[in-house]
Amino acid sequence: MNEVRGGVYPFCRSCTASSVAWRAPDPNRLKGLGTHFYGHHDVCPHCSSSVRTLYVTFLWVPISRVGRYRIIRTGGHSYVGRKLLQYPLPVTAPTEQPPSEFKNHPELADATYEEAEARWAAGDSARAQPLYETSLAACEKALKADDPATLRVRLRLAQALLATGDYGAAIAWFGLITPQLVRVFGAGHELTRIAIEGITSAQSTVGGPQDEAKLLTARLAKLEPSLGRTNPSVLRTRGALGRATLFAGQLVPSIQILETTLADSIDVFGANHPDTNVARGSLQEACELADSKSRKDREAAARARRRWL
């Protein structure tokens, strides 16, 4: 894999290795203060990111240093960033790979995935994406949704969607597969880290949770009339919308959206399907957060628990 594709898009391998995923602070929570980047040095020849120092400002005067970041501008005042590590991450020993049923399905070992990987490595994300979709359809027909082989293709498809700028679809996929990767491979596995950093990158590009919710709402409004409410793509998007709404602080709407997602997932996939379990986990998380909020939030959580949890 080349230097650029070895990293978390749009950062190259070297810049990814020397930094961690980071989401810009919400300016609405700074209570009269602002932030501003100063400096512009160590420009990367591979991904064009540069090192800048972030300060909290008051009336444009820097008052406290936040940290050093690698920044890539995405147009206007928008950017994606990664926080520089003061010390390199420790090298961990490779973990034992979980068993896969892939070896029992020789029909899956065709040239489609290899061609997709070749196009991905060459930077041709747009042509790699449909090939990953074809490979994934074959895997999901023969293997479980959380089989290690299926998860690898799901992750690669999410990366391709991120690389082509389809942020809503990328967020939906990353949000679905990250808890599955944690369960199958472990929280510290390289694939899990790629997924976590992938969704952070997509969310950072979109903006805050409210911007993310708007994007996913528009995507859902486009998909559902043509595909139907129980289409897997619709379910992924609605689940992501429920999580974005939760992080935006709108607990009752979030619980309602996640209840609908769980109900439809049970109807389509079954109660114990890996994707259904993710929907159930998201609803559980929303209910737990609501327990410490307003009476209206607590009542919504109690109703959801009686129905589904």
Side-chain angles (χ1 to χ4, degrees), residues 5 23 57 80 110 116 126 140-141 160 171 186-187 213 250 271:
R5 288 307 191 187
R23 190 166 184 170
T57 61
V80 290
D110 61 12
E140 292 190 334
K141 186 176 180 180
I171 289 170
Q250 303 174 38

Side-chain angles (χ1 to χ4, degrees), residues 31-78:
K31 298 180 180 179
L33 301 176
T35 59
H36 189 74
F37 283 106
Y38 292 87
H40 176 70
H41 57 91
D42 292 346
V43 178
C44 176
H46 301 292
C47 63
S48 300
S49 67
S50 63
V51 174
R52 304 186 180 195
T53 303
L54 182 65
Y55 283 85
V56 174
T57 61
F58 179 70
L59 298 178
W60 297 101
V61 177
I63 58 176
S64 66
R65 182 177 182 271
V66 178
R68 297 170 67 240
Y69 301 85
R70 277 214 164 267
I71 298 298
I72 296 179
R73 291 288 182 184
T74 56
H77 296 290
S78 301

Side-chain angles (χ1 to χ4, degrees), residues 144-159:
K144 293 181 179 180
D146 60 351
D147 184 276
T150 305
L151 288 177
R152 288 177 182 274
V153 185
R154 282 183 161 195
L155 176 59
R156 197 58 114 195
L157 175 58
Q159 289 180 286

Side-chain angles (χ1 to χ4, degrees), residues 3-304:
E3 176 66 19
V4 174
R5 288 307 191 187
V8 175
Y9 184 85
F11 295 88
C12 68
R13 183 199 306 269
S14 299
C15 293
T16 297
S18 62
S19 58
V20 293
W22 170 75
R23 190 166 184 170
D26 185 351
N28 295 323
R29 296 186 178 183
L30 294 178
K31 298 180 180 179
L33 301 176
T35 59
H36 189 74
F37 283 106
Y38 292 87
H40 176 70
H41 57 91
D42 292 346
V43 178
C44 176
H46 301 292
C47 63
S48 300
S49 67
S50 63
V51 174
R52 304 186 180 195
T53 303
L54 182 65
Y55 283 85
V56 174
T57 61
F58 179 70
L59 298 178
W60 297 101
V61 177
I63 58 176
S64 66
R65 182 177 182 271
V66 178
R68 297 170 67 240
Y69 301 85
R70 277 214 164 267
I71 298 298
I72 296 179
R73 291 288 182 184
T74 56
H77 296 290
S78 301
Y79 63 88
V80 290
R82 294 178 60 84
K83 186 174 183 179
L84 285 177
L85 293 169
Q86 185 175 2
Y87 304 103
L89 288 173
V91 177
T92 57
T95 57
E96 183 178 351
Q97 296 299 313
S100 171
E101 291 296 318
F102 181 85
K103 62 181 181 297
N104 298 326
H105 294 273
E107 73 277 8
L108 297 177
D110 61 12
T112 304
Y113 184 77
E114 292 182 3
E115 183 181 353
E117 287 286 88
R119 292 189 181 278
W120 171 259
D124 192 355
S125 306
R127 292 187 179 181
Q129 178 187 325
L131 295 172
Y132 284 130
E133 290 172 341
T134 299
S135 182
L136 179 59
C139 283
E140 292 190 334
K141 186 176 180 180
L143 306 174
K144 293 181 179 180
D146 60 351
D147 184 276
T150 305
L151 288 177
R152 288 177 182 274
V153 185
R154 282 183 161 195
L155 176 59
R156 197 58 114 195
L157 175 58
Q159 289 180 286
L161 290 165
L162 174 60
T164 55
D166 194 344
Y167 301 119
I171 289 170
W173 266 118
F174 281 126
L176 175 66
I177 64 177
T178 298
Q180 295 172 344
L181 289 165
V182 170
R183 187 180 62 80
V184 174
F185 289 95
H189 194 276
E190 176 71 7
L191 297 180
T192 306
R193 183 187 67 82
I194 290 173
I196 292 172
E197 298 206 350
I199 193 169
T200 303
S201 178
Q203 291 170 331
S204 298
T205 303
V206 170
Q210 292 183 352
D211 296 316
E212 184 181 337
K214 289 178 182 178
L215 173 67
L216 293 167
T217 298
R219 174 176 169 79
L220 188 62
K222 181 179 179 180
L223 292 178
E224 192 166 351
S226 59
L227 300 179
R229 60 178 286 169
T230 58
N231 179 273
S233 182
V234 172
L235 292 177
R236 283 194 303 273
T237 303
R238 193 187 300 124
L241 174 59
R243 291 187 291 271
T245 305
L246 172 65
F247 297 137
Q250 303 174 38
L251 273 73
V252 173
S254 171
I255 290 172
Q256 293 170 343
I257 294 169
L258 293 172
E259 279 192 272
T260 302
T261 305
L262 177 56
D264 289 344
S265 296
I266 292 173
D267 288 342
V268 174
F269 302 122
N272 297 316
H273 189 275
D275 293 0
T276 303
N277 290 335
V278 172
R280 186 179 292 109
S282 296
L283 179 58
Q284 179 68 48
E285 180 183 1
C287 290
E288 290 175 356
L289 183 59
D291 288 340
S292 60
K293 301 299 180 180
S294 70
R295 178 179 177 180
K296 187 176 181 180
D297 295 332
R298 295 195 301 271
E299 290 175 347
R303 289 192 298 270

